[in-house]
Amino acid sequence: MPATKELLIEAKDIQRVYGHGDEKVYALSGITLDIYQGEYISLMGPSGSGKTTFFNIVGALDFPTSGTINLGGRNMLKMKPAELAYLRCSNIGYIFQNYNLIEVFSALRNVALPLKFLGLSDADANKKAAELLERVGLGHRMDHRPPELSGGQQQRVAIARALANDPSLILADDPTGNLDTKTATAIVELLSDLSRERGVTVVSATHDHRMLAVSDRVVYLRDGKVEKIVKREDLNISIGSVAS
């Protein structure tokens, strides 16, 4: 499904300041950005540009020092802790560079776990988890634990887990950072395909230029600010190089 004109995320003048007095560090310095339902957004920029900080604020894992952040029309800064916990559990899927799987659980159980938190029975949670693992190409490995899987397979489990709650938003923090070139390319294509199929918004903080070919927009950050925003059709993408 293509992106719609329906706003999903509204970030207005977001600042994130650490420290006090002369020791203040501005991780974000007034970011304003609208993201639409079904969009695939890549956040790019050098280390220290604010990508992960903005990622964490959008995902309700951190909070701005000032500004406002709305998800689905709701002001996250006015939500109670229990409401934020439910929002994270029911509306957002997270994918991390280091997979963050529970090593003593099988792939099936890792994917089923968030569904059980939402109140599904064991049978229903396992059925849906199995269907998602089949979709990401791991139907034959669902009984294996993470140490028995390759890095690419673990990331596929993480993607299936992120989709388990039928989220409106998937946040991917450098999801290809630990993968070889071939595996990383397959993961990029899988994320793109799943985003289009399900109409899910994907926001990825990344250094991987392969992400550009599947992104609707690329948001370049520098020194905690939006440096520029480039649409995919305006990117000059060729093998081994990207220019805008």
Side-chain angles (χ1 to χ4, degrees):
M1 295 174 62
T4 70
K5 293 184 179 181
E6 181 180 349
L7 268 178
L8 180 67
I9 299 165
E10 299 173 85
K12 295 182 180 180
D13 198 24
I14 296 293
Q15 295 196 37
R16 184 66 173 98
V17 183
Y18 297 96
H20 303 280
D22 294 336
E23 301 299 321
K24 285 184 179 179
V25 174
Y26 285 80
L28 298 177
S29 300
I31 287 183
T32 295
L33 180 65
D34 290 339
I35 299 174
Y36 295 87
Q37 184 67 49
E39 269 199 300
Y40 197 119
I41 298 289
S42 286
L43 303 175
M44 301 199 77
S47 296
S49 61
K51 297 189 304 296
T52 297
T53 302
F54 184 68
F55 173 98
N56 288 338
I57 288 173
V58 170
L61 300 173
D62 193 6
F63 301 94
T65 306
S66 62
T68 60
I69 179 80
N70 295 342
L71 177 62
R74 300 186 66 188
N75 187 338
M76 290 194 285
L77 303 184
K78 294 184 178 180
M79 298 174 72
K80 298 177 181 178
E83 291 176 312
L84 283 170
Y86 184 76
L87 177 75
R88 288 190 288 263
C89 185
S90 62
N91 288 286
I92 304 174
Y94 301 90
I95 303 170
F96 299 98
Q97 179 180 349
N98 293 320
Y99 321 130
N100 286 8
L101 301 175
I102 300 174
E103 293 197 350
V104 297
F105 286 1
S106 67
L108 182 71
R109 195 173 178 189
N110 266 284
V111 178
L113 190 61
L115 294 168
K116 294 177 182 179
F117 288 152
L118 288 173
L120 270 68
S121 67
D122 286 351
D124 288 342
N126 288 339
K127 179 182 178 182
K128 186 170 184 180
E131 291 171 351
L132 286 167
L133 286 168
E134 287 280 0
R135 175 60 188 85
V136 300
L138 285 181
H140 62 301
R141 303 301 298 271
M142 64 179 66
D143 292 327
H144 291 249
R145 294 181 295 106
E148 300 168 330
L149 301 173
S150 69
Q153 289 171 334
Q154 289 185 62
Q155 196 61 292
R156 287 174 183 269
V157 175
I159 291 170
R161 180 185 59 189
L163 291 167
N165 58 356
D166 296 318
S168 57
L169 172 65
I170 287 180
L171 294 172
D173 191 4
D174 203 9
T176 61
N178 284 339
L179 304 176
D180 62 78
T181 298
K182 181 178 179 180
T183 304
T185 299
I187 291 299
V188 169
E189 292 173 352
L190 177 62
L191 274 174
S192 177
D193 290 345
L194 290 169
S195 171
R196 305 304 176 199
E197 286 174 16
R198 296 167 178 262
V200 178
T201 301
V202 175
V203 177
S204 177
T206 183
H207 294 92
D208 191 340
H209 283 80
R210 280 168 293 227
M211 288 286 187
L212 303 187
V214 300
S215 301
D216 294 305
R217 289 188 293 161
V218 181
V219 179
Y220 292 89
L221 302 182
R222 184 176 294 275
D223 298 327
K225 300 177 181 179
V226 175
E227 182 179 39
K228 61 181 177 179
I229 300 174
V230 183
K231 295 180 180 178
R232 177 168 46 186
E233 57 265 31
D234 296 327
L235 288 167
N236 179 18
I237 302 175
S238 61
I239 296 173
S241 66
V242 179
S244 61

